[in-house]
Amino acid sequence: MINIFEDGDKVLLIDSKSRRYLQKLTVNGQFHTHTGFVEYNDILGKIEGTTVKTSNGSSFLCLRPTISDFVLKMPRGAQVIYPKDLGTILMLADISVGSKVLEAGIGSGALSLALLRSGAKVTGYEIRPDFAVRAKANVEGFVSKQLLENYTVEQRDVYEGISEVDLDSIILDLPEPWKVLSHAEKALKAGGVLVSYLPSICQVSQLHEALSKTKFVLPETLEVLNRTWHVKGAAVRPDHRMVAHTGFLTHTRIIK
């Protein structure tokens, strides 16, 4: 099957300096830059990997965005969870096709996207209506209609309780996850996993203290550091910049 760009598709435009621009294709639409403008009609009907010229002769490579590309470029109301952490969360939470997952604090929807793409059935709790609207819009703009059937967002406070039962995993992006532990004990199935994403080690310490008084076992905290390398001929070295600390990931399991 030939993978061609159609009206309404997302496209990642990449210039000669590897700068990336996420756009939505529309008939007769244009993308304007300091190097001229790109006609979307020059992209529509073409295969992925096409190169197009701007009105001033500059070139852009046209690719479909990966989920990593989309997460970093999508509209956001809250800070997103970075791709380097998303992959680790999927592993720590033991996500597989059909997993029943509660996500609380959905932010801009980055984790929701990753969970849905992995085949999970996701219920999201978000207390802020503006974040809920933004997250749903981002998810709807990237995943298929079939995957959207596995996604529900409720505007509610997880600190006040969890309605779902027999959950495989609960993932929290909240400042006080210890307030959720008593609810999570009831909502998770035996052996289920709880994962918490926190920016401060002081919060992590408080979470571990609270976990020690519950039926959760085997708590562990880690962080993911992502360092790229400069590779050009004989010049091979770590890049000067890296995506270092973004958040601490704490995971634990429930016994009953």
Side-chain angles (χ1 to χ4, degrees):
M1 182 177 178
I2 299 176
N3 190 8
I4 64 171
F5 288 107
E6 298 179 352
D7 184 34
D9 284 350
K10 295 286 193 307
V11 62
L12 196 68
L13 299 174
I14 306 172
D15 69 10
S16 59
K17 295 184 178 180
S18 297
R19 290 174 295 203
R20 303 179 178 206
Y21 305 89
L22 180 66
Q23 299 295 311
K24 181 178 180 179
L25 295 174
T26 56
V27 175
N28 299 325
Q30 295 177 332
F31 170 61
H32 290 257
T33 76
H34 65 285
T35 60
F37 60 86
V38 173
E39 294 280 2
Y40 289 159
N41 287 351
D42 292 340
I43 303 173
L44 292 170
K46 303 293 180 57
I47 63 171
E48 184 173 1
T50 292
T51 297
V52 295
K53 297 286 188 180
T54 70
S55 55
N56 292 340
S58 298
S59 296
F60 278 89
L61 175 64
C62 306
L63 294 173
R64 293 186 188 277
T66 64
I67 188 171
S68 179
D69 295 322
F70 187 75
V71 164
L72 294 175
K73 294 293 185 180
M74 70 186 187
R76 60 184 69 174
Q79 178 63 43
V80 299
I81 297 178
Y82 274 72
K84 73 179 183 68
D85 295 318
L86 291 175
T88 303
I89 290 173
L90 295 180
M91 295 297 292
L92 295 178
D94 195 32
I95 303 302
S96 62
V97 175
S99 294
K100 291 176 59 179
V101 182
L102 173 69
E103 179 192 359
I106 62 176
S108 296
L111 179 56
S112 297
L113 285 170
L115 290 167
L116 290 167
R117 283 281 297 270
S118 297
K121 297 179 180 179
V122 183
T123 299
Y125 286 8
E126 176 56 61
I127 193 171
R128 288 190 52 168
D130 54 334
F131 285 2
V133 169
R134 174 65 70 189
K136 286 192 289 185
N138 283 334
V139 170
E140 290 170 358
F142 192 78
V143 305
S144 67
K145 291 183 179 179
Q146 182 179 2
L147 291 181
L148 278 177
E149 295 177 359
N150 294 327
Y151 190 48
T152 303
V153 176
E154 300 181 20
Q155 187 186 330
R156 58 181 293 181
D157 188 348
V158 72
Y159 294 155
E160 296 180 356
I162 297 173
S163 298
E164 286 66 32
V165 295
D166 200 32
L167 292 168
D168 295 293
S169 306
I170 294 176
I171 306 174
L172 306 174
D173 184 5
L174 305 164
E176 299 176 301
W178 47 88
K179 291 184 177 180
V180 185
L181 297 183
S182 62
H183 308 311
E185 283 182 313
K186 300 173 184 177
L188 283 167
K189 70 179 186 181
V193 182
L194 181 142
V195 179
S196 174
Y197 181 85
L198 289 167
S200 165
I201 196 62
C202 295
Q203 292 168 298
V204 171
S205 178
Q206 191 166 349
L207 174 58
H208 274 262
E209 177 64 25
L211 285 168
S212 69
K213 302 172 184 177
T214 68
K215 294 182 179 180
F216 285 98
V217 297
L218 305 175
E220 182 181 59
T221 294
L222 58 93
E223 62 176 331
V224 181
L225 308 179
N226 183 20
R227 184 177 72 176
T228 57
W229 280 63
H230 172 86
V231 181
K232 189 173 183 180
V236 181
R237 56 166 173 75
D239 282 329
H240 296 305
R241 294 185 178 183
M242 66 180 291
V243 181
H245 176 72
T246 48
F248 295 102
L249 298 173
T250 300
H251 62 106
T252 181
R253 300 186 70 181
I254 188 71
I255 57 174
K256 296 190 176 183

